[in-house]
Structure formats: C-alpha cells, structure tokens
C-alpha cells in the first residue's frame, strides 16, 4: 500500500492520471468547472488520511496537507479560495468543516484570500456513499447557492475527494449563476476513471 501522487501525464481538464489529452470522462461528459487538479489517486492510504482529517479535527494534518496541496493551488490564477461547504446539519454534527481547516492552512502559506460564506449549502443531501454516478449528480445538483459578491471573480473550490465530479459540478453551477468569471478546483484525492 502506498500513496500515489498524480504526476504528468494527466487530463488537462479534470486531472485524471494516465494521459495528457482529454480523458474519456471529460469527452463524454464535459465538466462544468474550468480545471481540476488532485494531489493523490484515491486508495487505501489516502482514504485513511482523509478519514483522519474528517473525523479527527487534526490541525497538524491539515497543515501538512496544505504544504502538499499548495503547488496545485498555485497552478491556477485565482482571486479567492472556497472550501466546499457542509450543510448545516452535518456541520453541527461534526463541529467543523475538514476542507475549511485545510483552506485556513493554505491561506497561511500563500496569503490568497479565503471565502467561507459566499458559497452556501442550504439543502441537506444524503451522503453520496453508495450512489451511482447519475444518482450522485441528481442528489447534489441544486444543493448549493452562491452570493453575488463573487461576480467576476476567479474562484478555486477545495474538496477532499473527487469521485465523479458531481459535487464540484454542482458548486460550479451555483458559482456561475452568481456570475463568477471561472471556477477552478483542487482536491486531496481523485478516484481514477
Ligand atoms: Zn478529464
């Protein structure tokens, strides 16, 4: 078992490892965001690390991950960074947003402004765990809304895992409706396709 860093070649749009041209997924179902990069391929080790971040409120882990994720963030020309929000019930249960922790640490390293309030998740959606790709898309689409103060901004959204891209697509739709200029994304780990 080891951590697999995603390095060249990867899909220029979704960051899927394996080739430097548009991957099959992007050709058949074009993502709604501008560009996504992920640090690791999703696997047993990355899953364990993300689980620890999610459930352990481990600031030292967030700090370490921020150092790893930073170069990926700096590949994008952006005005602000936004963690994918949890909906209120989940936030209340867990007490914190794991992506929020990571974003706070990234800000300390690069000084890029962070926005914790302009992307909202007013609707509770059931956990995506056992859903098919289409169910994931249907489940999460429309779950987000965004504030118009993001108009014309280049926004980078941070999430923990890229599974099908459904969550990032839903964020992108909400952000585009709010008039953002472009939606970029970085995640800690990506499920290969
Ligand atoms: Zn792709």
């Amino acid at each position: 078992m080891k951590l697999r860093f995603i390095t060249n070649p990867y899909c220029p749009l979704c960051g899927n490892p394996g080739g430097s041209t548009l991957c099959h997924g992007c050709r058949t179902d074009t993502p709604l965001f501008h560009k996504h990069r992920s640090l690791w391929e999703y696997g047993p080790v990355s899953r364990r690390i993300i689980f620890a971040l999610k459930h352990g409120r481990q600031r030292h882990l967030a700090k370490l991950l921020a150092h790893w994720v930073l170069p990926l963030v700096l590949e994008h020309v952006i005005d602000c960074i936004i963690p994918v929000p949890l909906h209120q019930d989940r936030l209340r249960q867990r007490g914190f947003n794991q992506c929020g922790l990571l974003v706070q640490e990234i800000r300390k390293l690069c000084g890029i402004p962070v926005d914790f309030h302009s992307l909202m998740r007013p609707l509770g959606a059931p956990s995506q765990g056992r859903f098919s790709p289409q169910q994931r898309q249907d489940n999460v689409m429309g779950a987000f809304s965004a504030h118009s103060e993001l108009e014309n901004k280049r926004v980078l959204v941070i999430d923990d895992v890229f599974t099908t891209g459904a969550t990032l697509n839903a964020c992108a739709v909400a952000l585009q409706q709010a008039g953002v200029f472009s939606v970029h994304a970085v995640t800690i780990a990506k499920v290969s396709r």
Side-chain angles (χ1 to χ4, degrees):
M1 285 199 301
K2 56 179 182 177
L3 272 173
R4 288 174 179 274
F5 284 80
I6 297 179
T7 52
N8 257 324
Y10 50 79
C11 170
L13 212 169
C14 76
N16 197 63
S20 59
T21 53
L22 272 195
C23 72
H24 176 72
C26 286
R27 280 193 314 248
T28 51
D29 196 6
T30 308
L32 303 173
F33 45 84
H34 183 69
K35 183 186 167 191
H36 164 263
R37 286 278 279 119
S38 197
L39 181 65
W40 297 319
E41 289 186 41
Y42 192 66
V45 183
S46 57
R47 189 180 62 218
R48 218 178 277 177
I49 293 171
I50 290 165
F51 185 89
L53 179 71
K54 219 167 184 166
H55 299 283
R57 195 174 203 148
Q58 300 192 32
R59 190 163 288 279
H60 67 280
L61 188 54
K63 222 173 248 183
L64 189 64
L65 282 168
H67 279 279
W68 267 328
V69 165
L70 182 66
L72 275 59
V73 169
L74 297 179
E75 284 180 18
H76 304 257
V77 179
I78 49 167
D79 299 304
C80 68
I81 305 176
I82 298 181
V84 168
L86 298 176
H87 74 80
Q88 290 305 317
D89 295 349
R90 183 63 56 81
L91 189 59
R92 222 170 292 136
Q93 268 171 16
R94 198 174 291 163
F96 68 102
N97 176 350
Q98 70 278 8
C99 296
L101 281 187
L102 178 59
V103 163
Q104 281 169 352
E105 296 302 327
I106 293 171
R107 170 173 52 189
K108 287 182 199 164
L109 297 176
C110 66
I112 297 172
V114 163
D115 185 322
F116 285 100
H117 67 272
S118 296
L119 182 62
M120 295 154 284
R121 193 171 198 166
L123 294 177
S127 168
Q128 299 269 64
R130 291 181 187 152
F131 285 6
S132 72
Q134 188 58 48
Q135 283 171 323
R136 282 173 175 269
Q137 190 73 65
D138 296 344
N139 176 42
V140 77
M141 198 46 85
F144 298 93
S145 64
H147 199 278
S148 60
E149 67 191 41
L150 290 171
E151 197 174 350
N152 293 326
K153 290 201 170 153
R154 296 161 297 188
V155 172
L156 180 104
V157 178
I158 299 244
D159 203 0
D160 47 10
V161 182
F162 182 116
T163 307
T164 63
T167 301
L168 293 178
N169 273 341
C171 289
V173 168
L175 289 164
Q176 282 152 4
Q177 281 168 352
V180 301
F181 181 77
S182 56
V183 180
H184 308 249
V186 165
T187 57
I188 302 168
K190 182 178 187 307
V191 175
S192 299
R193 54 185 184 190

